[in-house]
Amino acid sequence: MPTDATPGNAGSPAAGPRTGKEYIAALDDGRTVHVGGKLVGNVAEHPAFAGIVATMAAVYDAAGEPDSPLVDPDTGGLALFTIPRTWEQHELRKRALEHWCRLTHGFIGRGPDHVSGVLAGFASHPAVFDTDRHQLGANVVAFHEYAAARGLWITNSIVPPQHNPTDPTSRVRPVQLVEERSDGIVVDGAQMLGTGAAVADEIFVTSVRPLSPGDEAKALSFIIPIATPGLRLICRRPYATSGGPFDYPLSARFDETDAMVVFDRVLVPWERVFAAGSVEVVNRQFFGTAAHQIGNLQSIIRLTAKLRFLTGVASLIVRANGRDRDPAIRHELADLAGIQTVSEALTESAHAFATQDEAGVYRPAGKYLYAALGMQTEVYPRAVKILGELAAGGVIQVPAAAGDLLDADEAAAMEVLMGSDRLPLAERVKLFKLAWDLVGSEFAGRHVQYERFYSGAVPVVKGYAYRFYPFAEAEALATGFLDSYGLPTPAGAAAGVAGRAA
Ligand SMILES: Cc1cc2nc3c(=O)[nH]c(=O)nc-3n(C[C@H](O)[C@H](O)[C@H](O)COP(=O)(O)OP(=O)(O)OC[C@H]3O[C@@H](n4cnc5c(N)ncnc54)[C@H](O)[C@@H]3O)c2cc1C
């Protein structure tokens, strides 16, 4: 019997996006989440997750504010799910993404703003999911409506566990189809990671890596609630518990957490299956639809927001040390500003040069989109390095914890190291602790690794950029120039002059 959790039963359009309170309440659903060998009860109450849950609840609440740019006035739901069929809808999505990323300063990679775009891309091209064996396009459309009506946070897990495929003793099994039943498919195995999975509503599982004939068992695409029986999450070390919000301000609020995803014979109901056993569908779903391009507009808007935030911290650090007039330091800040501006310019271009595909859906321009995505693997580590250079020992010359500043003797001792009327001790320590959470903490290191790998290994990401660059146009210029001269005539050679084409 269809229930409220059954796609196809989306009901009337949302009266408005759900509130933060409703998001938090939905997390208490009996999901299986392990941290440090222990099973977590309600994630919203666990110290590893309470910070990120509060952050995301505040973002959901922001969508309820009057005239929030996060809301599509036509549906009353989150504009993140809107299929950009008109230029106005394309603009609406961009404004919603920018607002979302401003609220989270670009530190949430796999929040509700990513897979919502992927789904919008899928739902605009349902025929891609229909094969002779399974007609699943209608599932995609119904699930998109269902998720949009509820403003669900769906994360993704689209890469197999890292392992040695030539090791005959390996027990690693990327998630695969083990049974097809009348009520759904049974899947078993594991996926490498699901960022945000512990605190999301649902998870999208597939293979973003191209599959080959013979890989039918791995050819899956589906979305299920995190609380589905048999689904287990094994989380990495939480960073939110590194220290208090004064000492680790970013870790405390924005640790979206990452978890390995294990499937113990999980039953996926048919209405949540988009591909089962079709290599062709899995290989076509991202680029045969608008999904990859719409989904990744979020990636570059997010990176732009994060780089802007980092540049702001760097500029404050420089001013705190009175170095803002030093040409060498200005040079470093200008490099940072350049990195941020290039990211912003590519994002604006990807949006502005979007074109409608055969289904009438606006796809962000691939040339700019993938140039930005390909660049992030190098520019984010570089931006962090520049901030680290500017902050230097200042990020180490701080007391162990906020409590030290509350101790009068300790604070007096530190006054001779950092005291100033212009920048009081506590403010200085606060700023440099924020910088440390960007350049040196575990959270900081994870973010560098995230920007380098979340979209795939470097050759994969650059492969997208290669595919979308119009090399023929550039080649024509070079060829034209080459054609403008030739071998010198004997007389010209003697005079040292190359022959010119007519
Ligand atoms: C912080 C973080 C969060 C993540 N979150 C998610 C998530 O939410 N969902 C998800 O699905 N995945 C997630 N991932 C996983 C991510 O998708 C993978 O790390 C990425 O696809 C690379 O795969 P891999 O780690 O197995 O590295 P590998 O592919 O094994 O790469 C290892 C090394 O080999 C190089 N290499 C790989 N392929 C080639 C090639 N063809 N030619 C030459 N060199 C190559 C790489 O550049 C790299 O140096 C996350 C990763 C990180 C670091």
Side-chain angles (χ1 to χ4, degrees):
M1 175 189 282
T3 66
D4 188 50
T6 308
N9 198 26
S12 50
R18 68 176 172 177
T19 62
K21 215 166 153 191
E22 286 165 335
Y23 156 65
I24 293 172
L27 292 172
D28 191 11
D29 55 5
R31 58 189 56 202
T32 307
V33 177
H34 296 260
V35 180
K38 294 207 176 81
L39 190 61
V40 175
N42 181 0
V43 287
E45 290 167 6
H46 190 279
F49 309 109
I52 180 67
V53 168
T55 297
M56 299 312 289
V59 181
Y60 273 113
D61 281 340
E65 287 167 7
D67 300 322
S68 169
L70 297 175
V71 173
D72 182 337
D74 288 340
T75 65
L78 291 177
L80 308 169
F81 288 92
T82 299
I83 300 176
R85 290 198 168 99
T86 64
W87 188 260
E88 289 68 31
Q89 288 169 329
H90 178 58
E91 291 274 358
L92 187 77
R93 283 199 86 258
K94 176 173 180 265
R95 276 199 303 275
L97 288 169
E98 284 172 342
H99 193 67
W100 192 280
C101 293
R102 228 186 340 264
L103 293 173
T104 51
H105 298 302
F107 288 105
I108 308 297
R110 287 292 176 255
D113 48 341
H114 181 70
V115 174
S116 48
V118 172
L119 258 184
F122 283 177
S124 57
H125 297 72
V128 166
F129 299 88
D130 291 336
T131 64
D132 290 345
R133 190 135 181 272
H134 296 303
Q135 281 77 54
L136 302 175
N139 289 358
V140 173
V141 173
F143 188 82
H144 170 254
E145 277 176 28
Y146 167 84
R150 288 158 181 75
L152 292 182
W153 178 355
I154 306 162
T155 186
N156 71 16
S157 195
I158 56 180
V159 171
Q162 198 182 63
H163 65 290
N164 177 357
T166 65
D167 173 2
T169 67
S170 172
R171 280 179 290 278
V172 177
R173 248 162 72 94
V175 67
Q176 48 202 276
L177 179 64
V178 290
E179 197 185 339
E180 265 192 48
R181 303 182 353 186
S182 58
D183 54 348
I185 59 171
V186 178
V187 301
D188 194 70
Q191 290 284 80
M192 184 193 246
L193 285 175
T195 290
V199 290
D201 299 296
E202 308 231 354
I203 189 161
F204 167 46
V205 180
T206 191
S207 173
V208 72
R209 294 191 182 153
L211 300 175
S212 307
D215 285 336
E216 281 70 19
K218 290 189 223 155
L220 294 166
S221 180
F222 61 85
I223 297 182
I224 47 174
I226 299 292
T228 301
L231 178 65
R232 271 188 296 135
L233 302 178
I234 305 172
C235 297
R236 62 149 164 81
R237 213 186 88 73
Y239 310 141
T241 49
S242 304
F246 185 90
D247 295 304
Y248 291 91
L250 301 176
S251 311
R253 288 187 201 191
F254 300 122
D255 182 13
E256 62 187 322
T257 78
D258 309 284
M260 293 178 278
V261 188
V262 182
F263 303 82
D264 294 328
R265 292 193 61 87
V266 170
L267 173 67
V268 183
W270 275 114
E271 60 268 19
R272 288 167 165 280
V273 180
F274 309 154
S278 171
V279 167
E280 198 199 332
V281 170
V282 170
N283 285 352
R284 285 197 64 211
Q285 63 185 338
F286 286 111
F287 289 101
T289 72
H292 207 268
Q293 281 159 270
I294 295 182
N296 277 302
L297 187 66
Q298 176 264 355
S299 305
I300 60 174
I301 287 177
R302 183 194 58 75
L303 181 70
T304 300
K306 194 173 178 182
L307 288 169
R308 188 179 289 120
F309 182 81
L310 189 147
T311 304
V313 174
S315 184
L316 288 178
I317 293 270
V318 164
R319 290 214 277 124
N321 284 336
R323 296 248 165 80
D324 45 323
R325 289 178 187 281
D326 182 329
I329 297 285
R330 283 187 170 183
H331 175 120
E332 299 236 41
L333 274 183
D335 275 352
L336 254 188
I339 289 171
Q340 195 278 325
T341 307
V342 169
S343 177
E344 186 175 333
L346 288 172
T347 303
E348 291 297 328
S349 299
H351 175 75
F353 294 109
T355 49
Q356 276 176 301
D357 66 13
E358 71 292 348
V361 174
Y362 279 96
R363 294 193 190 196
K367 178 174 135 181
Y368 305 100
L369 176 69
Y370 293 111
L373 212 61
M375 194 181 85
Q376 81 195 354
T377 60
E378 288 142 36
V379 299
Y380 188 71
R382 184 152 165 249
V384 169
K385 182 166 174 271
I386 294 174
L387 176 58
E389 267 164 23
L390 294 171
V395 288
I396 308 297
Q397 179 201 285
V398 287
D404 295 355
L405 296 172
L406 302 175
D407 180 291
D409 292 341
E410 282 284 316
M414 279 181 282
E415 276 292 342
V416 299
L417 287 160
M418 291 177 265
S420 152
D421 286 347
R422 248 202 252 156
L423 186 65
L425 175 67
E427 280 183 36
R428 186 181 167 93
V429 171
K430 190 178 181 190
L431 174 61
F432 278 84
K433 279 183 178 275
L434 170 60
W436 180 246
D437 225 4
L438 273 166
V439 303
S441 67
E442 264 191 279
F443 176 89
R446 182 264 178 200
H447 272 265
V448 168
Q449 204 68 352
Y450 184 80
E451 301 301 352
R452 292 174 74 194
F453 287 107
Y454 81 88
S455 246
V458 171
V460 176
V461 187
K462 300 267 178 179
Y464 302 141
Y466 177 85
R467 196 187 315 171
F468 280 87
Y469 186 82
F471 282 100
E473 282 173 27
E475 279 180 20
L477 290 176
T479 307
F481 182 77
L482 285 167
D483 288 347
S484 70
Y485 57 93
L487 275 175
T489 60
V497 179
R500 207 175 256 279

